[in-house]
Amino acid sequence: MANLQKIEVAASRPYPVFLGVRLEDLGEYLQTRQTLGSQILVITQPVIAELHGERLAEGLKDFKVDIINVPEGEGEKSLDRLSSLTSEAVRLGVDRSTLVVALGGGVIGDLAGFFASVFMRGIRFVQVPTTLLAQVDSSIGGKVAVNHPAGKNLLGAFYPPLAVWTDFSVLASLPWNEVQNGLAETVKHALIADADLFAFLEQHQEQIKEREQGIWREMVTRSVAVKVKIVSQDEREAGIRALLNLGHSFGHALETEMEFQGISHGQGVALGIVAAAGLAQARGFITEAEVERIVQLLKSFGLKTEVYDKSAANLLHLMEADKKNQGGRKVLILPKGIGQAVVVKDCNDEEILSAWEKVIR
């Protein structure tokens, strides 16, 4: 256990992100946490449980393990699902010493983490991300949430996990549309903080699409390093952490408008990155050639760079619910070249409408 690769996240409760570990070894790590009880509650989805549940259970054989399966879909991040989780947890005898294991992608990580943050005023949990999106982004940073009809992730908390346990081998079974979600966030990380990573993605497009193991390991590790560095400097999004929302203000509005149906988070973020890049170009923050590099990289991975038959005015209205907004002003993250980004607090509605119109067909 001493030789495990890990990156420490500085937080109100610091925690490690373990990289390249095995699902089967999680139990051995947890045995070192002397204050844990004997019960573990695994919150997952049926497909994930079928693919990876047996391996996880092998390592947890010395614990009492209960499993709650949640249906798939972003719509499950709801107060109704939170209520049903609570009822089931009470039935299973979950108490303050129980550890929650979030086995799945971003939806499970957000939902299980938020459940852990509020059940009996907070019980511990471990993130075990099984998608590329979750491994490079959503499992790291301690943000947990559920959605509300008025907007995505409006009800949430900053609640650090006990640890993040990242097994790269689980990515082999991912369908390509799930891979795309993680690639969108990886491109975002490169744009805001690592120009060399952006060039790496450009240079290794084919190996990434062919899932070359060594290339994927380097891509994930470098993307995780960007996320960890930023959240360690700004746990509660009071400053630099806001940069991680590049593309999200636009993307979340599109996801909300479509009621989280027919569009993935990654596709929404990719479209949002293009819209933000267009606004940044209009402000002189980024060149036309750099915008074209961004668009071409996203396209090479099959990510969304335009949307059809949408109302720019309606999408602008939905952006009013964005959590970054301050005093009625829309706050946006814009790329500044490739490898940097800035927080912009004076974007007017005409600029944002123009950005939307550039990506609506």
Side-chain angles (χ1 to χ4, degrees), residues 234-254:
D234 180 18
E235 180 183 7
R236 293 186 173 268
E237 207 169 83
I240 189 175
R241 183 169 177 164
L243 299 180
L244 291 166
N245 287 304
L246 173 65
H248 286 62
S249 297
F250 289 97
H252 283 175
L254 185 60

Side-chain angles (χ1 to χ4, degrees), residues 170-352:
V170 302
L171 300 178
S173 61
L174 277 186
W176 182 249
N177 65 314
E178 287 289 351
V179 173
Q180 289 173 315
N181 288 332
L183 289 174
E185 295 289 355
T186 296
V187 171
K188 177 202 75 178
H189 287 163
L191 274 174
I192 65 175
D194 192 342
D196 289 340
L197 175 57
F198 192 92
F200 176 87
L201 297 173
E202 290 179 309
Q203 293 161 9
H204 296 92
Q205 294 174 31
E206 293 307 314
Q207 293 100 317
I208 290 169
K209 287 187 280 189
E210 292 168 4
R211 308 193 190 208
E212 189 172 307
Q213 187 175 4
I215 296 296
W216 269 46
R217 185 183 186 99
E218 182 171 353
M219 175 182 72
V220 173
T221 301
R222 290 174 67 168
S223 188
V224 167
V226 170
K227 180 74 181 276
V228 169
K229 181 178 180 180
I230 290 175
V231 301
S232 293
Q233 294 177 66
D234 180 18
E235 180 183 7
R236 293 186 173 268
E237 207 169 83
I240 189 175
R241 183 169 177 164
L243 299 180
L244 291 166
N245 287 304
L246 173 65
H248 286 62
S249 297
F250 289 97
H252 283 175
L254 185 60
E255 288 181 81
T256 301
E257 198 271 345
M258 298 179 67
E259 298 180 339
F260 309 108
Q261 301 295 317
I263 184 171
S264 67
H265 175 67
Q267 293 289 7
V269 168
L271 189 283
I273 288 172
V274 176
L279 203 162
Q281 183 186 352
R283 285 200 165 206
F285 293 167
I286 191 169
T287 67
E288 182 178 355
E290 288 169 328
V291 173
E292 184 60 21
R293 284 179 67 191
I294 294 167
V295 170
Q296 289 305 314
L297 182 59
L298 293 170
K299 280 185 174 180
S300 75
F301 295 136
L303 287 161
K304 190 179 290 294
T305 59
E306 53 190 25
V307 66
Y308 293 84
D309 301 322
K310 298 298 176 186
S311 164
N314 187 50
L315 290 165
L316 173 68
H317 171 70
L318 289 170
M319 290 174 74
E320 293 175 359
D322 192 279
K323 298 182 294 300
K324 295 182 297 301
N325 293 343
Q326 298 176 2
R329 296 177 302 171
K330 295 179 181 66
V331 178
L332 295 177
I333 313 305
L334 302 181
K336 191 173 183 181
I338 289 176
Q340 296 183 65
V342 291
V343 179
V344 177
K345 299 182 179 182
D346 62 349
C347 286
N348 60 54
D349 288 353
E350 289 72 23
E351 286 180 289
I352 298 171

Side-chain angles (χ1 to χ4, degrees), residues 24-75:
E24 294 89 340
D25 294 335
L26 176 59
E28 182 183 353
Y29 169 71
L30 294 178
Q31 291 285 4
T32 68
R33 315 299 293 187
Q34 300 297 328
T35 57
L36 288 178
S38 61
Q39 184 184 27
I40 289 179
L41 177 66
V42 178
I43 299 177
T44 187
Q45 294 167 328
V47 172
I48 302 300
E50 184 176 347
L51 286 170
H52 310 301
E54 187 174 332
R55 291 180 59 201
L56 182 67
E58 180 182 332
L60 299 177
K61 58 182 180 295
D62 293 329
F63 293 87
K64 176 184 181 294
V65 179
D66 292 295
I67 299 175
I68 298 179
N69 276 306
V70 174
E72 294 184 41
E74 182 74 25

Side-chain angles (χ1 to χ4, degrees), residues 39-147:
Q39 184 184 27
I40 289 179
L41 177 66
V42 178
I43 299 177
T44 187
Q45 294 167 328
V47 172
I48 302 300
E50 184 176 347
L51 286 170
H52 310 301
E54 187 174 332
R55 291 180 59 201
L56 182 67
E58 180 182 332
L60 299 177
K61 58 182 180 295
D62 293 329
F63 293 87
K64 176 184 181 294
V65 179
D66 292 295
I67 299 175
I68 298 179
N69 276 306
V70 174
E72 294 184 41
E74 182 74 25
E76 294 302 320
K77 281 174 49 177
S78 67
L79 287 175
D80 286 343
R81 179 56 60 188
L82 183 69
S83 178
S84 68
L85 276 180
T86 302
S87 297
E88 185 67 5
V90 170
R91 186 187 70 78
L92 292 170
V94 172
D95 60 28
R96 285 181 171 174
S97 68
T98 301
L99 175 78
V100 172
V101 170
L103 176 66
V107 169
I108 288 296
D110 270 358
L111 176 64
F114 188 63
F115 164 78
S117 76
V118 295
F119 187 80
M120 294 186 174
R121 296 191 175 91
I123 60 177
R124 284 163 296 184
F125 83 111
V126 170
Q127 292 272 19
V128 183
T130 61
T131 66
L132 183 60
L133 168 64
Q135 289 193 1
V136 302
D137 190 63
S138 61
S139 68
I140 302 164
K143 288 168 67 172
V144 296
V146 294
N147 299 328

